[in-house]
Amino acid sequence: MALKIKPVCVGTGEIDKSILTYLHDQGTKVKVPFIVWVIEGGEKLVVVDAGPADPGTVFKERGVSIHQEDHEEPAQALKNAGVDPSEVGIVISTHLHWDHCGNFSLFPNADIYVQRRELEFAVAPLEIFGAMYEAAIFKRNPKWVNSVSRFRVMDGDVDLFPGVKLLHLPGHTPGLQGVLISTNNGNYCIPSDTVNITENWENQIPPGIHVNIEDCYQSFRKIERMADHVLPNHDMKVFDRVAYP
Ligand SMILES: [Zn+2]
């Protein structure tokens, strides 16, 4: 069976656009989705990232408002997309920012793939990133801790199974990994927050949040070499289609 990729919306938020596109459009508010990606048709059922914790928890802990329709509640949203979370065998954690790793417990039978460099940085990030990682050393409570026994720690690019490859794409964070999926319409890349919206890719603008801007550009070059199609990670436009290809 050919591999297919589905973007599943698990809520939306409103943020300053310069968080997405570095130094561009400060003061402009934009709506962004939080996405759980599903990769079907391979050796194992895969999801890429798990979205933020529930809106109540996020508001209480961070003061951030997430809008979540009933059909966007993660278990329900996955069900609507034809996915039973208990059948997911692999969760790829692109990076450990709070809005990507709030629901690992929803996938009790999955191994969770994360880069070693990301795990190291998430435990002891630079101060300015303490809240993004909900880092325990800054008296926070990272949601991923309860799932750590299921972590599979990777170093760099890894072929997970035929058609699905992890790509180390540092820049937004030190250990960010994207996913390259071979389909019957070429290679699709889920670049995570390396490419927040289409504009990042088309105009080669790094994400507003980054640990290393030079790495952001090197990661753009790597995606360019390997992928035919790029799926931005916080862009409502990806829902124009139910599945890719
Ligand atoms: Zn991020």
Side-chain angles (χ1 to χ4, degrees):
M1 190 173 145
L3 293 172
K4 272 204 180 305
I5 306 148
K6 288 180 183 167
V8 176
C9 186
V10 294
T12 53
E14 207 182 63
I15 61 172
D16 194 280
K17 185 166 168 287
S18 64
I19 292 174
L20 304 174
T21 49
Y22 183 47
L23 298 180
H24 285 65
D25 304 310
Q26 280 159 320
T28 303
K29 293 274 185 251
V30 288
K31 181 180 174 182
V32 293
F34 301 102
I35 300 176
V36 175
W37 300 88
V38 176
I39 305 171
E40 292 177 336
E43 272 177 21
K44 291 189 173 178
L45 182 57
V46 177
V47 304
V48 181
D49 286 337
D54 68 273
T57 301
V58 170
F59 188 77
K60 191 171 95 203
E61 294 183 356
R62 314 183 62 81
V64 169
S65 292
I66 291 178
H67 184 77
Q68 191 180 70
E69 302 280 341
D70 289 346
H71 65 86
E72 292 171 335
E73 185 277 320
Q76 187 60 48
L78 286 161
K79 192 177 166 205
N80 295 344
V83 174
D84 175 352
S86 71
E87 288 176 2
V88 171
I90 292 176
V91 172
I92 298 170
S93 170
T94 65
H95 63 303
L96 291 168
H97 281 168
W98 67 276
D99 55 324
H100 295 258
C101 57
N103 295 299
F104 288 159
S105 56
L106 183 60
F107 308 100
N109 301 314
D111 291 331
I112 301 164
Y113 284 75
V114 62
Q115 290 283 318
R116 184 183 313 280
R117 184 68 190 102
E118 187 66 13
L119 192 51
E120 289 170 348
F121 193 74
V123 170
L126 298 173
E127 280 80 352
I128 195 168
F129 298 115
M132 290 295 291
Y133 280 100
E134 304 185 322
I137 57 164
F138 299 115
K139 306 278 184 281
R140 301 275 182 149
N141 181 25
K143 307 291 174 296
W144 52 264
V145 164
N146 294 332
S147 305
V148 79
S149 64
R150 295 189 284 125
F151 276 22
R152 302 290 174 264
V153 181
M154 301 288 118
D155 293 293
D157 297 356
V158 176
D159 289 307
L160 271 190
F161 57 76
V164 177
K165 188 181 179 77
L166 305 179
L167 296 184
H168 183 211
L169 299 173
H172 176 66
T173 70
L176 186 144
Q177 60 185 355
V179 189
L180 193 71
I181 303 108
S182 302
T183 75
N184 54 20
N185 184 36
N187 290 332
Y188 280 75
C189 182
I190 296 171
S192 186
D193 292 359
T194 305
V195 179
N196 287 312
I197 57 176
T198 308
E199 189 183 333
N200 293 95
W201 185 241
E202 287 183 347
N203 298 345
Q204 300 283 288
I205 303 168
I209 295 170
H210 49 260
V211 291
N212 186 319
I213 201 163
E214 196 178 354
D215 282 351
C216 289
Y217 281 103
Q218 295 293 346
S219 290
F220 282 162
R221 298 289 85 77
K222 185 171 178 177
I223 295 167
E224 221 164 50
R225 284 196 304 275
M226 303 184 84
D228 304 301
H229 312 277
V230 174
L231 297 168
N233 208 46
H234 284 296
D235 194 329
M236 297 301 295
K237 281 187 214 148
V238 299
F239 302 115
D240 289 350
R241 289 174 60 178
V242 173
Y244 297 83

